Amino acid sequence: MKSLSNTSKGIFFIICSAFFFALMAVFVRLAGDIHFVQKAFFRNAVAFLIALGGTLRDVRHQGREAVRIPKGAPLYLFLRAFAGSVGVFGNFYAIDHILLADAAILNKMAPFFTIIFCYIILREKIKPVPLVCIIIAFSGSILIVKPSFNFTQMIPTLAAFMGGVGAGLAYASIRKLSYLKCNGKIIILFFSAFSMMLSVPYMITSFNPMSLQQTLMLLCAGGCAAGGQFSITAAYYHAPASKISIYDYSQILFSTLFGLVFFGQFPDWMSLAGYIIIISMAVVNYIYTHRHAEESPVVE
């Protein structure tokens, strides 16, 4: 991939991450009736072990420099870990309670929130057209959430939406850490360890014994999650959100296909309308930024 531009690399990695995360959701749902916190723990444990192995390999080849935390990075490592944990817990809760495609599209509000948080953290400009796209996309998400007076019914969709907010802040933090030249494996290692620690109280007090099949499903989910994490980290390392975030919506295609094939799921008309609105705004924002946005510095 050396001959590809940084933007092309970012596109490739973000589509890979979309596939891995969509497949992860399938395995999470196939794991059956296990609490979402326990599922999240196993997902993060696999990612932690893979990132730890990669980090130790870097240390052997590069020495201590491979694990050096740059000045200013700890704050953004924490933000990435906290926001990413919100994203994971919200998404996992939603996967067990609503359509895979609904959970995916609400989680894919993340690119819009990434743009907002990149403005706050990196001062990457938000021009009027992207701002309008964000507002309209938010209205599209309301069609999927379907607000009602029955708050209990809304919890899964709200959880998925908050997962998208958390993921947006996490991706913006990754972008900041790329400027600080923090090792990508350290970012994943810190996030996975932090998220596992949040799960520990539940695991101690309420662990649910699992069958061999359930264990295998969660291990597969963890492997896919690790693939998604490494891919999304590589994507935002190579290119700014404004140039590649549109391709993250390929997860909707993967999730809809997987939901139909594995679970016989198909979205209702309101959800489909919400999908169309959100994806349309993503396309409009993508076209606009490609025509008007200035080149942003990237990490080679």
Side-chain angles (χ1 to χ4, degrees):
M1 295 182 65
K2 289 185 178 179
S3 62
L4 297 178
S5 68
N6 278 315
T7 299
S8 296
K9 291 177 183 177
I11 291 170
F12 171 78
F13 283 120
I14 208 165
I15 291 175
C16 286
S17 76
F19 174 80
F20 281 125
F21 284 133
L23 192 57
M24 176 202 74
V26 173
F27 287 124
V28 167
R29 188 133 185 166
L30 287 174
D33 189 21
I34 302 172
H35 198 277
F36 74 95
V37 173
Q38 188 168 326
K39 291 181 177 181
F41 178 86
F42 277 86
R43 170 246 192 262
N44 289 312
V46 175
F48 175 82
L49 292 174
I50 293 174
L52 179 61
T55 302
L56 293 175
R57 184 182 60 186
D58 286 352
V59 171
R60 284 199 302 268
H61 289 88
Q62 303 171 30
R64 289 188 177 183
E65 185 64 22
V67 292
R68 184 182 66 85
I69 306 296
K71 183 179 180 181
L75 170 62
Y76 297 102
L77 282 171
F78 173 77
L79 276 179
R80 191 270 176 271
F82 177 78
S85 297
V86 171
V88 168
F89 289 131
N91 190 35
F92 271 42
Y93 181 81
I95 286 170
D96 280 340
H97 294 84
I98 60 177
L99 300 184
L100 290 186
D102 280 5
I105 193 67
L106 289 171
N107 189 256
K108 289 309 141 191
M109 286 296 289
F112 292 104
F113 288 109
T114 300
I115 293 171
I116 293 172
F117 288 124
C118 278
Y119 168 75
I120 296 171
I121 294 172
L122 300 172
R123 296 303 175 188
E124 290 183 357
K125 295 179 180 178
I126 305 179
K127 295 186 178 180
V129 170
L131 182 60
V132 170
C133 288
I134 290 170
I135 295 171
I136 296 176
F138 182 82
S139 70
S141 72
I142 293 176
L143 291 175
I144 303 169
V145 173
K146 301 177 184 66
S148 69
F149 291 105
N150 190 336
F151 183 73
T152 302
Q153 291 182 353
M154 289 176 56
I155 290 177
T157 48
L158 288 175
F161 182 82
M162 289 307 300
V165 176
L169 178 54
Y171 298 156
S173 300
I174 290 172
R175 188 70 184 148
K176 176 65 175 181
L177 289 165
S178 76
Y179 285 119
L180 296 172
K181 297 185 178 180
C182 184
N183 187 328
K185 297 183 186 70
I186 294 295
I187 298 173
I188 297 171
L189 189 67
F190 189 89
F191 156 63
S192 300
F194 182 88
S195 195
M196 285 170 63
M197 288 175 61
L198 293 181
S199 304
V200 166
Y202 175 86
M203 296 295 287
I204 293 174
T205 60
S206 307
F207 178 78
N208 202 3
M210 301 183 297
S211 68
L212 176 60
Q213 181 180 348
Q214 288 176 318
T215 302
L216 289 174
M217 289 299 100
L218 289 183
L219 290 175
C220 288
C224 290
Q229 281 298 317
F230 278 100
S231 297
I232 199 72
T233 300
Y236 284 108
Y237 245 68
H238 284 95
S242 60
K243 288 186 177 292
I244 64 173
S245 59
I246 180 65
Y247 296 99
D248 205 16
Y249 286 86
S250 58
Q251 185 176 339
I252 309 307
L253 301 177
F254 294 131
S255 294
T256 302
L257 177 62
F258 291 157
L260 184 62
V261 170
F262 290 100
F263 308 108
Q265 298 176 343
F266 196 79
D268 62 24
W269 71 268
M270 288 186 71
S271 290
L272 287 172
Y275 299 175
I276 292 169
I277 290 172
I278 293 172
I279 294 174
S280 296
M281 291 304 98
V283 171
V284 170
N285 179 63
Y286 172 76
I287 294 172
Y288 177 83
T289 52
H290 262 255
R291 288 181 177 177
H292 298 88
E294 298 177 350
E295 281 292 327
S296 297
V298 294
V299 176
E300 296 289 347

